[in-house]
Amino acid sequence: MAEFPDQTLDRRGFLKRMAAAAAGAAVFPAIIPASALGRGGAVPPSQRIVMAGIGFGMMGVPNMRAFLNQDEVQWVAVCDLDDDHLAAAKGIVDNHYGNRDCAVYSDFRELSLRGDLDAVSIAVPDHWHALLAIEFARAGCDIYGEKPLTHSLAEGRALCAAVERYGRIWQTGSWQRSVANFHHAAELVRNGRIGKVLMIEVGLPAGHYDFAGTGGRETMGPPPDSLDYDFWLGPAPWAPYCPARVHMNWRWNTDFGGGQLMDWVGHHVDIAHWGMGWDRTGPVEIRGSGEYPRAGVWNSPTRYYLTARYADGTPMVIAGGHGEIRSGTRWIGDRGWIWVDRGDQESYPASIWGEKVGAEETRLTSSRDHYRNFLDSLKSRRATIAPCEVAHRSASVGHLGMMAIELGRRIRWDPATETFPGGDAEASRLLSRSFRSPWRLPQ
Amino acid sequence: MPKRKNTGIRKTIPALVLGICFAAWCGVSAEAQVPPSGGEDFRLARILERLASYRPQGSDPILVSLQDYIHRVRRNPAALSACEEALVAFLDQDITSAARMEVCRQLRRIGTERSVPVLSRLLRDEDAADAARYALEAVPGKAAERALLNALAESNGKTRLGIISSLGARGSRAAASGLSELLDGSDAEAAAAAVDALGRIESAPARAALLRVLEQGPENLRVSCAGALLHSAERARAAGDREGAFKIYQTVFEKAPSGSLRVAAFRGRVTAAGASARDLLFHALQGEDRALRAAAIPLMGKFLSPADLPTLAPAAQAYSVSNRISWLQALCGFEGDEARTAAADFLKSPETEVRIAALQALGKLGGGEDVESLVRHIVTSRAEEQAAARAALYRLKTRSGAGIDQAVLDLLERGPDSAEAVELIRAVGIRLVTAGRPLLFQCLESSEAVIRLEAARALQLLVEDRHGPRLLKLLIGEREDSIRMALVNAAAAAARRHTRPENSAAAVVACLEENHDSRARAILFRVLGRIGDDSALPLVLGELHAEDAVIQDAAIRTLADWPTPAARGAQFATARDTGSLTVHVLCLRAFLNSVSGESYPSAEAGARPLIEALGIARRAEEKITVLGLLPKFPCAESLAAAESQMADPSVGPEARKAAASIKSRIE
């Protein structure tokens, strides 16, 4: 595809070997096991969903395993810039099907040109989200993408427009929507069980968690041979390689991720929005404060406190590292409150939680399997439980919060036009990020 | 850019910064805000002096110092202006690329036209161009745009690609002509970048250039060109130029280089077509093009009326499975009988998936007239399909007339067979049909156990306090165990809805006083255990050592069921002192349930009851439960408790895991 720079596609002998193995399987007649065509061969070809995955450094693997467990999915390819991740991902697929057919790609553009993909699962660092997703949407793929939706507000709007433009089905990895207690909590709130909601509290994690065990390894040096580091940096500003900057821990550097706030905003704020019926809007005002590390590669806020206000005047507090705001989502109403978190929930009065939501009341979309919901939507062409626009609105709270922290003042926001009332030239500069050449956002 | 010598940098930067700050301050009006102190000037100078040789080695706090400085002066126009001057001057010095990038990041936030000349110079340096663009893209005003435009003509390679993208990001109309020229040039990558940039520029020449490429341009540009045009059409439509948008969509539809782009253009065409959208959709829905049909179905709800559905429905019967499912989902966007009928047509489809989708649609579109067919569907289907039919029955909404709930009751009163009656009774409960209470009480007198059982379950959802005595009477008379337990729950539910919670067990206590039969008293105790009225707890405690084994067993089980913390002490004591392993397990589990659900002022307070429980636990199962709970309360005591079990072979692994978890949380 001409709009991207050339990259060496078979840059490693390793890749050549794997590609050759996969190609060989395609060239020579072979008895294809039924399991490779959908579990037990029970799903007819017309109903199979051909999938591939991009990014296997963290969520990509569990996402792929979940899809492999779905009968109609036929996983045909994996793509990653790290040969080690790629080999591991291919191994999982080949082991699942009992063959060596899974194709490997180091360049997502090559994968997008295959033409036989129904859907892709994308689990790459945040700074790649929009670029990859738009590319695959334009190629006609439905997408399961990780949260936060994008790395900037402008990218989020561009991605939503592209998903709409190409009529794609989108599922965000905000899987809490497919868990019973979150669904029940949101339905209770939506149906007025706690009365008029006066305030919402959202507690998120604080600090930096050393996912990869590379914390503190900040001595710059050459990247490992297995990683195409310049490609990994992609549209982000150039920075020298060090282990702490990349795999799993990239999220703590603001060129690639947004720290705990952006990692979790797509979970607990998303649930808060769901309960309030704010899936397609956002705050009208936000202010906040944060604490940042004084040095080091990990430069995202370690402690933060945001107060957002919505159009009806309801405030939402979003905090990380403030003990008084309990982890999870709590809606406080004039007749009681409901709190919900992973595996736990409470209400006051306690009886509220036991209440049922009747047929004549507002019922929220129900899903008990986030991956299944994506595949069902892919067939019915109806929105998933966590579509692109909804994820954009959840993420927008985090993006605006980061801006408010950076500017050290209150920001006013018009969620209908996604602009700052009165212009606010200072904040407008933070809406987007520049892409390092030659990368750019497709349309 | 040629490298400058670093000689004297430590002297020149402070002098330069001080000079600029002083000059800037002298130049501002008296109305300006509080001036930066001399200390501020020196501070920036010191920061820049150190920043000049900055290399990202991890522990250097200099970047944060610069950010903090700018944050501090942000509200002071004079100081901010002086700061910008200093940063601009700094960029002209011999500095590391990391320092340059950091300064350009800051200029992206605060830079004005004053920054443009130096950024413009940096644009010509391949190593510095990305950093310069990072700032220039966001600097407002014509000067920044001009700088990018001027550099466009003089640059090449990656630098030029970046400049093209930045002009696109700025939506620079002035760049349209220059970018259009690149489309015909020999640099294929520049042409591709220009296509993307032109798609972001709102101008007729930009659009015309893209249309020309789509129609006559090389194959490798046409995909991105079509995408750019679709983007352009969306902007035209949003601006109210529906006709203009339609023309673009039409061209992309005709010339699209790929199926997905053609379908996208079709969707756009429909949305911009106004009154003719209906014709376009009809053509696609009744045509042979599968891709267009699939794209048209989700658009039906927006552009078609219910009256169109009968005409389209016959064609839909021949769609593929996925398109039929999609069609049924689309029907949910309509209201009225036409959509309902169209959905019901698919209830007899040969494919289970389609029938399930039809049931889901009927759940949203159906009315009272569908109750009977849904009930029949439930009793004649299995597994997922049966669940879908049930969900549809439970979700039917009253749109007009007598309503669904009345239809359910009418059908139940007509005396259907027992399988259907069971489903109807269940629907009465789940739909919270309060008018169905009398009928449910009648069902409790049925000779068929399944009817009685379902009625008791449904009543659990519907009863009020006043129904308590009647339920208790029925409970005492009931002989079937499963129905008795359902009635226990229903009677407890009635009691819990008492307006005075402290008196909610009054009806049960009164009944206990009247009844002396052991079996009746035993079952009444079980009701007490589900209510949780602490005023009745002494009654239970008094029977823990009853001579009558039936009563004693009921009292122990009631204690184990007791839902409030008031029973905790007795639960613990009974678990500790009993000679019966069953009683021990029942009471200890109840105690653990009770203590684990509470909030504590400290980890130590939370750990204490768990440690006590660990001390009396007789089986590995309960010890493992405690070890699983201990990490919720990380403290020295919980750690010691976990470690004390590590040598026990039956719980050693769990104890080690708990200890490790507690330790990590303490740290």
Side-chain angles (χ1 to χ4, degrees), chain A residues 1-6 46-47 72 137-140 158 161-168 183 187 193 218-220 230 237-240 245 254-255 292-297 299 326 344 346 356-364 366 376 379-382 405-409 425-426 429-430 432-443, chain B residues 56-61 64-65 68 71 74-75 101 105 107-112 130 133-134 137-140 158-159 161-162 165 188-189 192-193 195-197 199-200 220-221 223-224 227-228 230-231 234-235 258 260-261 264 267 294 298 321-322 325-326 329-330 332-333 353 364 394-398 404-405 430-432 461 597 599 632:
Chain A
M1 196 161 287
E3 68 181 27
F4 292 104
D6 280 333
S46 62
Q47 288 174 47
E72 67 270 63
R138 192 172 67 184
V163 166
E164 171 71 20
R165 180 180 309 141
Y166 298 112
R168 301 334 307 168
H183 179 265
E187 268 196 347
R193 294 298 200 280
E218 300 191 352
T219 305
M220 309 301 156
D230 190 71
W238 189 86
R245 197 188 299 280
T254 53
D255 277 342
Y292 290 79
R294 298 301 299 172
V297 168
N299 63 358
R326 191 179 181 186
D344 208 358
E346 280 174 21
K356 293 207 182 289
V357 176
E360 301 283 336
E361 297 185 89
T362 302
R363 302 307 299 263
L364 300 178
S366 175
D376 288 343
K379 288 183 198 167
S380 68
R381 309 314 295 171
R382 298 283 287 183
I405 295 172
E406 178 167 342
L407 296 177
R409 64 172 169 83
E426 199 178 32
R429 292 184 183 210
L430 304 176
S432 61
R433 291 168 184 265
S434 288
F435 278 25
R436 187 168 66 109
S437 183
W439 298 101
R440 58 185 176 274
L441 214 53
Q443 292 164 90
Chain B
Q57 286 299 329
S59 58
D60 191 342
V64 178
S65 301
D68 285 351
H71 197 73
R74 203 162 203 150
R75 302 280 155 258
M101 185 64 218
R105 278 178 199 271
L107 289 176
R108 180 179 177 87
R109 287 155 172 77
I110 65 163
T112 66
D130 273 333
R133 283 195 308 108
Y134 204 87
E137 237 177 61
V139 170
K158 274 173 80 171
T159 303
L161 296 180
S165 292
E189 286 190 12
V195 163
D196 268 347
R200 294 188 160 84
N220 64 339
L221 292 186
V223 169
S224 48
L230 292 173
H231 186 192
E234 285 157 20
R235 281 201 311 270
S258 77
S260 64
L261 287 161
R267 288 161 46 83
V321 169
S322 58
I325 293 171
S326 181
Q329 296 273 7
C332 298
E353 279 175 286
K364 287 178 185 162
Y394 303 155
R395 287 186 176 199
L396 285 176
K397 283 198 180 190
T398 300
I404 287 105
D405 293 345
I430 290 175
R431 293 183 62 86
L432 305 176
L461 300 166
S599 302
K632 277 177 78 173

Side-chain angles (χ1 to χ4, degrees), chain B residues 607-615 623 626-627 630-631 633 635-648 651 654-656 658-659 662:
Chain B
R608 207 165 299 134
L610 294 175
I611 295 167
E612 287 169 2
L614 195 58
K623 286 183 186 174
V626 174
L627 289 167
L630 278 174
F633 308 102
C635 59
E637 289 85 344
S638 58
L639 180 60
E643 285 175 343
S644 73
Q645 302 295 314
M646 282 163 50
D648 180 343
V651 298
E654 288 80 6
R656 280 189 286 279
I662 295 166

